[in-house]
């Protein structure tokens, strides 16, 4: 399958700069709404997401609609050339609906019905909620579908969670019947039913996982998470019916998330299943800048990984739908961005493929949980404060970068990431319960490429592998036969494949593969993993690789060679002298297996050698110091080169040729310096 490219393009006259605007909170303050329009222009902003949580303002009573306030917002933003991203309001329903139609309320895993309140606590299966969301969306599409300010549909907001009500239980059983072809025996086989006498004899006996009942059947848990994703996608598709019908040319998005403070891909839903249903990928980024457990550059690397993942889902530019220009209000410590960090962090988003910098929120609320969340307009309502001025400065710079819109990134290296694998590995009651760390392992292998400014795509198992020279597959614990076959074809045809410990252990049902390691993997890698030694946190081993010693922690796989060549040996324990890192020629390609969790220095050296051998280089020959990231976007004519200093010290840069300085004007060549958090954007003809 090819990556999921959009048929409806985002046709904006500029890079998008603005964000979530909640005028429905200020309808009693017309002077504030008037002030907003002036401030939007002072801040060099141009695009605003409206209506996200506005259902009670749009429909204060069932069937009684009030759109006049939104009409004015559309017209006022249009008056200065701005654009509107119109949200559907399903993320938070009005109180009258919960009272009158209790089936819209979620039931949690303990089977307790939730009260009205919060947000995203609706049932995705509720017939009432499906009907009501379709109806309000139709009203919005009919009223604003032809408004010249409408740029993009924002479907709901940060979909998440699941519901365990009777309607959802029935829907789950129907989903299972479809998945297993009405064959209950097949379900029992997939879930290993005889274990603990969990064989089902009637579909009605099947229920969702619960801490009050069954929560240890891994096949059940895995299928429930798949169902929950599919049920959320179906709910979104229901929202799209009137929008596609009435506004067929307006693209749609829904905003993805990341889990913090570790800044890893959101684990609650398989976002890959959304990708071909929407036209534009967007996500909400809230890194914990200036924290006390990692360097600025380390956190920037994690941001880059998620950017590369979400961009690659559709192989096209994405949107940063939310970020904060200052602090948030929900991190354990809500530290303000230091001067320069907001512009630096925004430029990183643009460098990795975003065509927008949008904020939550435009204006700070006066009350409730988000009244201290960062915003462009603070409680002082002043355009003279530091945060507003940084936003305005960023807006000016983005205006100079207008030609960046729609440009691409090209990668010869891909990482294979899989949400379902993350779920299954999280459930695995083995290895080290706290040390499996799938995403951290991805980061450990991604880091050398980020440090060397090598472009990377983060792909799914249904994507096309053949366009890459190098494919890196860390900890693919759950691997079906189809994925193994695709890896085999990739290597046979000349690809270079790197895989690690704890890979290919279980199939798509989370059942351990019968017998020895999957035959195809043994053929590809020329090895058989015999056992995986799990180490205590203080345990260490070492591997000798290319005459250097590297520390091992957490995991060490004991290997039997069936044709592979040893590159590195264990130095301690009962498997001393046996293979830890191997290489195997297969077809026209080569497969590498890294059997142990090794220190970062190993990844640096191993991949540096591999990149040199495969002639995979940074798109530009600029020399830099530690903490500086260089990322490139391109079109038919030009390369746009972002040089970003993610360190707290001045850094020296040696340019490899004459460049145009996009932000500061003129030409630049030779040796330059970047202050802490400083960014240069250079342009050169191809």
């Amino acid at each position: 399958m090819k990556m999921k490219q959009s048929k409806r393009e985002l046709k904006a006259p500029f890079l998008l700069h603005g964000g979530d605007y909640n005028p429905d909170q200020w309808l009693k303050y017309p002077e504030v709404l008037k002030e907003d329009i002036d401030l939007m222009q002072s801040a060099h902003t141009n695009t605003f997401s409206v209506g996200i949580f506005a259902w009670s303002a749009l429909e204060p009573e069932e069937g009684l609609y009030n759109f006049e306030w939104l009409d004015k917002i559309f017209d006022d933003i249009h008056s200065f050339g701005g654009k509107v991203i119109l949200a559907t309001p399903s993320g938070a329903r009005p109180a009258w609906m919960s009272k009158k139609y209790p089936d819209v309320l979620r039931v949690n895993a303990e089977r307790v019905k939730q009260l009205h309140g919060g947000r995203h606590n609706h049932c995705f299966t509720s017939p009432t909620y499906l009907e009501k969301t379709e109806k309000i969306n139709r009203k919005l599409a009919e009223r604003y579908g032809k408004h010249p300010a409408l740029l993009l549909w924002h479907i709901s907001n940060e979909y998440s969670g699941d519901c365990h009500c009777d309607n959802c239980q029935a829907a789950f059983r129907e989903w299972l019947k479809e998945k297993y072809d009405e064959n209950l025996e097949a379900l029992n086989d997939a879930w290993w039913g005889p274990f603990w006498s969990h064989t089902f004899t009637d579909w009605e006996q099947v229920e969702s996982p619960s801490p009050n009942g069954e929560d240890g059947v891994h096949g059940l848990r895995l299928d429930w998470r798949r169902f929950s994703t599919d049920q959320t996608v179906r709910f979104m598709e229901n929202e799209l019916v009137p929008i596609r019908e009435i506004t067929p040319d307006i693209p749609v998005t829904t905003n993805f998330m990341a889990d913090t403070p570790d800044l890893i891909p959101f684990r609650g839903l398989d976002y890959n299943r959304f990708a071909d249903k929407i036209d534009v990928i967007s996500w909400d980024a809230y890194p914990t800048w200036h924290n006390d457990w990692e360097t600025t550059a380390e956190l920037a690397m994690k941001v880059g990984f998620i950017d590369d993942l979400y961009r690659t889902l559709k192989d096209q530019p994405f949107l940063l739908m939310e970020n904060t220009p200052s602090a948030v209000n929900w991190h354990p410590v809500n530290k303000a961005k230091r001067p320069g960090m907001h512009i630096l962090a925004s430029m990183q988003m643009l460098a990795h493929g975003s065509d927008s910098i949008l904020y939550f929120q435009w204006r700070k609320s006066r009350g409730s949980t988000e009244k201290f969340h960062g915003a462009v307009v603070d409680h002082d309502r002043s355009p003279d404060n530091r945060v507003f001025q940084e936003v305005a400065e960023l807006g000016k710079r983005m205006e100079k970068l207008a030609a960046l819109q729609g440009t691409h990134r090209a990668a010869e290296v891909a990482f294979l990431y899989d949400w379902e694998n993350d779920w299954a590995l999280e459930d695995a009651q083995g290895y080290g319960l706290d040390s499996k760390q799938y995403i951290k392992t991805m980061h450990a292998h991604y880091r050398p490429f980020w440090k060397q400014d090598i472009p990377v795509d983060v792909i799914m198992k249904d994507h096309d592998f053949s366009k890459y020279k190098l494919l890196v597959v860390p900890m693919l614990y759950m691997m079906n036969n189809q994925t193994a076959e695709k890896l085999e074809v990739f290597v046979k045809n000349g690809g270079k494949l790197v895989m690690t410990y704890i890979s290919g252990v279980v199939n798509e049902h989370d059942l351990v593969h019968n017998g020895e390691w999957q035959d195809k993997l043994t053929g590809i890698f020329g090895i058989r993993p015999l056992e995986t030694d799990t180490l205590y946190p203080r345990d260490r081993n070492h591997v000798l690789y290319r005459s250097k010693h590297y520390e091992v922690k957490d995991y060490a796989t004991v290997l039997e060679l069936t044709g592979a060549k040893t590159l590195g040996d264990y130095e301690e324990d009962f498997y001393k002298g046996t293979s830890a890192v191997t290489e195997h020629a297969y077809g026209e390609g080569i497969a590498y297996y890294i059997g142990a969790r090794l220190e970062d220095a190993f990844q640096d050296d191993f991949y540096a050698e591999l990149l040199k051998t495969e002639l995979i280089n940074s798109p530009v020959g600029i020399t830099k110091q530690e903490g500086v990231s260089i990322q490139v976007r391109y079109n038919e004519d030009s390369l746009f080169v972002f040089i970003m200093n993610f360190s707290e010290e001045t850094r020296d840069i040696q340019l490899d040729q004459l460049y145009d300085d996009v932000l500061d004007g003129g030409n630049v060549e030779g040796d330059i310096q970047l202050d802490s958090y400083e960014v240069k954007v250079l342009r050169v003809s191809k």
Side-chain angles (χ1 to χ4, degrees), residues 164-179:
H164 298 255
C165 71
D166 289 344
N167 285 331
C168 288
Q169 300 293 347
F172 181 43
R173 293 182 194 110
E174 291 304 312
W175 184 92
L176 291 171
K177 288 178 184 178
E178 181 179 352
K179 178 179 176 65

Side-chain angles (χ1 to χ4, degrees), residues 529-592:
L530 301 180
E531 58 181 310
T532 297
D533 189 16
T534 302
L535 308 182
Y536 280 100
R538 292 185 181 180
D539 288 341
R540 292 294 185 271
N541 199 327
H542 291 83
V543 164
L544 179 65
Y545 172 83
R546 305 293 196 217
S547 302
K548 293 177 68 175
H549 305 274
Y550 299 93
E551 187 177 79
V552 176
K553 62 179 181 178
D554 297 336
Y555 300 108
T557 303
V558 183
L559 303 175
E560 174 190 349
L561 302 190
T562 62
K565 179 173 71 174
T566 298
L567 298 181
D569 292 314
Y570 292 111
E571 295 191 282
E572 297 155 39
D573 222 311
F574 67 89
Y575 37 92
K576 177 181 179 180
T578 66
S579 301
V581 183
T582 63
E583 172 187 290
H584 185 234
Y586 187 76
E588 300 297 317
I590 300 175
Y592 300 89

Side-chain angles (χ1 to χ4, degrees), residues 383-453:
D384 298 323
N385 66 48
R386 177 181 71 86
V387 172
F388 190 98
Q389 288 297 309
E390 280 210 45
V391 168
E393 175 59 29
L394 174 64
K396 294 174 187 177
R397 297 190 187 192
M398 290 178 68
E399 289 165 0
K400 295 179 181 180
L401 289 169
L404 188 71
Q405 187 189 22
T407 57
H408 302 283
R409 282 171 60 83
E412 296 178 303
V413 177
F415 274 62
L416 183 59
Y417 172 76
D418 182 21
W419 269 276
E420 292 187 354
N421 179 70
D422 192 14
W423 299 340
L425 191 54
E426 180 185 25
D427 276 349
Q429 292 168 285
Y431 308 109
L433 297 184
D434 296 324
S435 65
K436 287 175 284 188
Q437 300 176 349
Y438 177 48
I439 303 300
K440 288 185 178 181
T441 305
M442 298 288 287
H443 288 159
H445 288 260
Y446 175 87
R447 185 180 294 107
F449 298 90
W450 190 83
K451 288 167 64 175
Q452 294 191 55
D453 306 316

Side-chain angles (χ1 to χ4, degrees), residues 362-389:
W362 166 253
R363 180 184 285 275
K364 280 187 177 179
S365 302
R366 286 191 64 195
S368 293
T369 62
E370 291 175 334
K371 63 180 177 288
F372 296 127
H373 192 292
V376 180
V377 182
D378 210 325
H379 293 133
D380 62 11
R381 298 168 59 176
S382 172
D384 298 323
N385 66 48
R386 177 181 71 86
V387 172
F388 190 98
Q389 288 297 309

